[in-house]
Amino acid sequence: MDELKQKHRALWALGDYPAVAADLIPSLGPVLVEACRIRPGQRVLDVAAGTGNVAIPAALTGADVVASDLTPSLLAAGEKLAAERGATLDWREADAEDLPFESDAFDVVVSCVGVMFAPHHRAAADELVRVARPGGTIGLISWTPEGFIGQLFATLKPFVPPPPPGVSPAPLWGSPSHVAELFGDRVTDLTAERRTVRVDAFATGASFREYFTTVYGPTIVALRGTDRPDELRRALDELGDRWLTGGAMEWEYLLSTATVC
């Protein structure tokens, strides 16, 4: 287990994920802040926070925010961004499947395309519920299996080793039935809404591939590890070209919110 977590930590430290968060999906954090109705004085935990796409705008509302992540380099980048934006919050290294926080400690627990990448979905869901107080809110944004990032992982799958037993595909968190099954009767008022974020950073599939094989850890790992690099590059070019319409892509995600029992 320690080896698996070390691999995950190293994967997200590769490339330049802070650039991905800032260049492509900066709007998702405020979406989640609004959906969870985060307000001054609330105690908020951002799980797998990365560089703070949710944590920083949440802190700017006046909430008391803790940003947690497995990868120290992402936390360091987030701390710098927070200082630049005048946001004050705590940054904590933490495993989403074993959070170092007391039970019932937070009014709101959020994660934006973060906790979905914890390898064991049940363990991660259990922790989200445990640290949220009864009556508190859980809010998640997750890439869907059918959307662009879900299809990116489907494209990478033939080029990477199979995951260890018990590890679930990350985009399952973008399936409403999967989220409902993970939380079960421990939450009420569970909502799941499919939305899209517009990404206009790429003119061609090749430019998408060049960017993602430079800055995005999972794509970098796949390209480095395969003995068919040219085939993978072609597959990524084709994926990007299929999804480009009028010089932009629409990336689908699932916005889920629930009240903890």
Side-chain angles (χ1 to χ4, degrees):
M1 189 64 64
D2 288 343
E3 181 181 357
L4 178 61
K5 296 303 172 67
Q6 291 291 348
K7 287 181 178 179
H8 273 250
R9 182 180 286 114
L11 181 149
W12 292 108
L14 281 174
D16 188 0
Y17 187 77
V20 176
D23 296 345
L24 306 183
I25 56 171
S27 64
L28 293 186
V31 166
L32 197 50
V33 169
E34 181 180 358
C36 295
R37 298 181 175 87
I38 294 173
R39 57 188 184 273
Q42 287 186 314
R43 185 154 169 76
V44 178
L45 174 65
D46 187 357
V47 179
T51 54
N53 257 16
V54 185
I56 293 173
L60 290 172
T61 71
D64 179 9
V65 180
V66 178
S68 66
D69 199 276
L70 187 67
T71 305
S73 61
L74 297 183
L75 294 172
E79 196 165 4
K80 181 179 178 181
L81 287 171
E84 292 171 356
R85 295 182 61 183
T88 300
L89 60 155
D90 293 330
W91 299 85
R92 292 281 301 275
E93 184 176 341
D95 179 355
E97 298 177 2
D98 186 19
L99 294 169
F101 307 110
E102 294 182 1
S103 299
D104 307 336
F106 296 93
D107 300 301
V108 184
V109 179
V110 294
S111 187
C112 179
V113 297
V115 75
M116 65 179 290
F117 292 103
H120 304 98
H121 294 189
R122 173 70 66 185
D126 290 349
E127 285 295 272
L128 296 176
V129 173
R130 181 185 66 79
V131 299
R133 67 167 177 82
T137 300
I138 294 175
L140 307 172
I141 285 178
S142 307
W143 301 121
T144 67
E146 304 85 2
F148 180 75
I149 297 297
Q151 291 304 297
L152 168 62
F153 280 93
T155 300
L156 298 178
K157 185 176 179 180
F159 298 92
V160 297
V167 172
S168 299
L172 278 179
W173 275 99
S175 169
S177 60
H178 186 65
V179 175
E181 191 276 330
L182 287 173
F183 289 134
D185 61 4
R186 299 178 296 176
V187 303
T188 61
D189 304 320
L190 176 62
T191 66
E193 180 184 353
R194 293 180 185 270
R195 297 188 182 184
T196 61
V197 58
R198 182 177 176 86
V199 176
D200 58 5
F202 311 113
T204 65
S207 63
F208 150 73
R209 181 256 304 160
E210 179 63 28
Y211 183 90
F212 262 64
T213 54
T214 302
V215 303
Y216 193 60
T219 318
I220 295 170
V221 167
L223 187 60
R224 288 180 179 178
T226 184
D227 58 1
R228 297 174 288 149
D230 291 340
E231 186 179 342
L232 175 55
R233 291 188 183 96
R234 286 194 297 271
L236 292 171
D237 288 356
E238 292 168 1
L239 173 70
D241 285 331
R242 286 199 306 272
W243 282 80
L244 277 165
T245 303
M249 300 176 178
E250 295 289 339
W251 292 5
E252 187 181 65
Y253 63 89
L254 189 73
L255 172 63
S256 304
T257 60
T259 301
V260 178
C261 294

